[in-house]
Amino acid sequence: MTQAEKEIRFQEKIDREIKIEPNDWMPDEYRQTLVRQISQHAHSEIVGMLPEGNWITRAPNLRRKAVLLAKVQDEAGHGLYLYSAVETLGTSREQTIDDLHSGKAKYSSIFNYPALTWADIGTIGWLVDGAAIMNQVALCRTSYGPYARAMVKICKEESFHQRQGYESLMKLCSGTPQQKAMAQDAMNRFWWPALMMFGPSDADSTHSDQSIKWKIKRFTNDELRQSFVDATVAQAEILGLTIPDPNLKWNEARGHYDFSEINWEEFWQVVKGNGPCNKERLAARVKAKEEGAWVREAATAFAKKRAMKKSA
Ligand code: 3HC
């Protein structure tokens, strides 16, 4: 079968909603874009642990500490799940992690913003995990089998993440004026970076057209962003928080909220590594790998010794 015939047959499988599995033939470009997207998704999960992990010891009470601990542990599991999905595409864990540390691979821009107050932690749960859910529910139907199956488990846990964040903000917004003000300040700082999580506008998206054709993506960046805004406005109103966008307005004709243009200059600066916390985040990941080397060496030595004992 020629390359062209293989590609036609591959696209027919995609069009007939047949999941692509690791041992199936796939175009190199399909494999590469999956490695790119899934590895960056995994990096986002792991780097996303940093701003939240920083607040575990400063949670206001034992319950909040236990909930935040559970969430951060979940994110580690999501990262490992997704790194395993990358390995099914033939890319080693070592290579994937090195690509992050060398700056070759990206992670979500949102994690380059600092978590300055306790209200940020609730806002991250509500807005950041809320945006992630909007994107990840669609990915439960992505054409690559291992990725789609990983998403089903991850989405269940993300729902808990969003709810715990929203509950924490409900507490603050019904608390003292200072607590309410702290929640509004967090909203002001995280609203626009949360919208940026969905990626550049469709006009500027490099990969969307092909990813939609291959059903890696089911919706475009702007479609998911719009769904997120439409779903979140009422939630903010219940909290009594103001969304920092004077042009946010329901458009009956469109059946959606109109909102202001995103500051794409800021978005691309953060993506390029010039955000408030980019350097700190990458340094933390490199340090974790270096400090964890002895654990990997000990585990490898133990495994070798046990294998030798078995074969003796
Ligand atoms: N931050 C950093 N880089 C971004 C970005 C963002 N928010 N949005 C887009 N980019 C990058 C893309 O990676 C691409 O660069 P590359 O070619 O070097 O990879 C470039 O900008 C052009 O963007 P495209 O729209 O063409 O790229 P995609 O088609 O890949 O769409 C995406 C971007 C929507 C993020 C898509 O990759 C995706 O759906 N990824 C899976 C979901 C994901 O990664 N979510 C991140 C958050 S996970 C999370 O929040 C964890 C939760 O527990 C809180």
Side-chain angles (χ1 to χ4, degrees), residues 228-239:
F228 174 71
V229 172
D230 290 347
T232 308
V233 171
Q235 295 169 6
E237 283 165 359
I238 292 166
L239 291 173

Side-chain angles (χ1 to χ4, degrees), residues 151-221:
M151 279 298 111
V152 172
K153 167 185 160 63
I154 287 175
C155 282
K156 288 191 176 94
E157 291 172 346
E158 291 294 5
S159 302
F160 145 65
H161 299 172
Q162 185 198 28
R163 280 186 183 75
Q164 63 81 34
Y166 194 70
E167 188 217 17
S168 169
L169 286 180
M170 287 186 86
K171 262 269 185 279
L172 289 175
C173 291
S174 56
T176 64
Q178 291 83 353
Q179 288 173 327
K180 177 83 179 282
M182 186 166 62
Q184 184 60 59
D185 166 60
M187 175 79 172
N188 296 343
R189 285 182 286 106
F190 275 91
W191 174 254
W192 290 106
L195 296 196
M196 294 173 193
M197 284 175 67
F198 293 96
S201 66
D202 292 350
D204 293 332
S205 174
T206 329
H207 305 289
S208 272
D209 289 349
Q210 185 59 61
S211 290
I212 293 262
K213 190 163 177 281
W214 279 333
K215 297 188 181 177
I216 293 172
K217 276 180 157 179
R218 291 292 186 159
F219 300 98
T220 69
N221 299 354

Side-chain angles (χ1 to χ4, degrees), residues 36 40 45 75 106 109 135 158 199 205-207 217 221:
R36 176 189 63 81
Q40 293 182 160
E45 301 281 1
E75 309 297 11
K106 297 181 169 70
S109 48
N135 170 293
E158 291 294 5
S205 174
T206 329
H207 305 289
K217 276 180 157 179
N221 299 354

Side-chain angles (χ1 to χ4, degrees), residues 33 36-46 48-49 52 71 74-75 78 82 104-112 124-125 127-133 135-136 139 147 151 154 158 161 193-202 204-209 211-212 216-217 219-221 224-225 264 267-268 270-272:
T33 206
R36 176 189 63 81
Q37 176 165 329
I38 304 172
S39 62
Q40 293 182 160
H41 196 162
H43 297 327
S44 302
E45 301 281 1
I46 299 298
M49 293 165 70
E52 293 178 309
K71 176 182 190 310
D74 281 351
E75 309 297 11
H78 297 173
L82 292 168
K104 182 168 169 263
K106 297 181 169 70
Y107 56 88
S108 191
S109 48
I110 187 72
F111 299 118
N112 289 309
I124 288 171
L127 293 182
V128 174
D129 289 73
I133 289 172
N135 170 293
Q136 291 172 168
L139 286 169
Y147 196 21
M151 279 298 111
I154 287 175
E158 291 294 5
H161 299 172
L195 296 196
M196 294 173 193
M197 284 175 67
F198 293 96
S201 66
D202 292 350
D204 293 332
S205 174
T206 329
H207 305 289
S208 272
D209 289 349
S211 290
I212 293 262
I216 293 172
K217 276 180 157 179
F219 300 98
T220 69
N221 299 354
L224 288 176
R225 192 177 357 256
W264 293 116
F267 170 75
W268 289 115
V270 176
V271 170
K272 283 188 190 119

Side-chain angles (χ1 to χ4, degrees), residues 90-110:
T91 301
S92 73
R93 181 75 54 92
E94 202 62 25
Q95 182 60 54
T96 304
I97 306 287
D98 286 351
D99 288 349
L100 171 66
H101 295 172
S102 66
K104 182 168 169 263
K106 297 181 169 70
Y107 56 88
S108 191
S109 48
I110 187 72

